[in-house]
Amino acid sequence: MEYGDWNNPVIVDLDGIGHFAIITNALDAANCMSEEWPVNGGPAMDEAVLVCLDAVLGKVSAERSRKAFLEAAREAGLTVRPDSGSLH
């Protein structure tokens, strides 16, 4: 079963001291933002959760969910590993 699989994983530092999560699809991204996110929401995160769930349902592209997740990471001030692609 596809979960909005991404071509390139996103590696994000969730606590600033090396607790990295490797996110490979929209379902993992939605779960990460719902369960492990170090800040209590924000407009980009709220949007990203919805976009990721839509990607799992096939309503939007997996790439759109990846971009939304990266925007949520930027909003939260999280470090994304350089090999995870651009934040733009």
Side-chain angles (χ1 to χ4, degrees):
M1 177 176 219
E2 186 176 315
Y3 298 106
D5 294 339
W6 298 343
N7 291 329
N8 296 307
V10 173
I11 303 167
V12 62
D13 188 349
L14 293 172
D15 64 13
I17 57 170
H19 173 217
F20 291 97
I22 301 171
I23 309 299
T24 61
N25 60 54
L27 183 61
D28 288 348
N31 285 334
C32 178
M33 289 183 286
S34 297
E35 298 173 13
E36 299 183 66
W37 218 239
V39 296
N40 290 329
M45 187 202 118
D46 295 343
E47 176 69 14
V49 170
L50 295 175
V51 170
C52 287
L53 293 175
D54 280 347
V56 171
L57 296 172
K59 295 180 178 181
V60 300
S61 71
E63 185 59 24
R64 182 168 171 208
S65 69
R66 185 177 184 277
K67 287 178 182 178
F69 181 77
L70 288 168
E71 283 297 320
R74 174 190 289 158
E75 174 185 75
L78 302 180
T79 300
V80 176
R81 295 288 296 267
D83 54 348
S84 295
S86 173
L87 285 175
H88 304 290

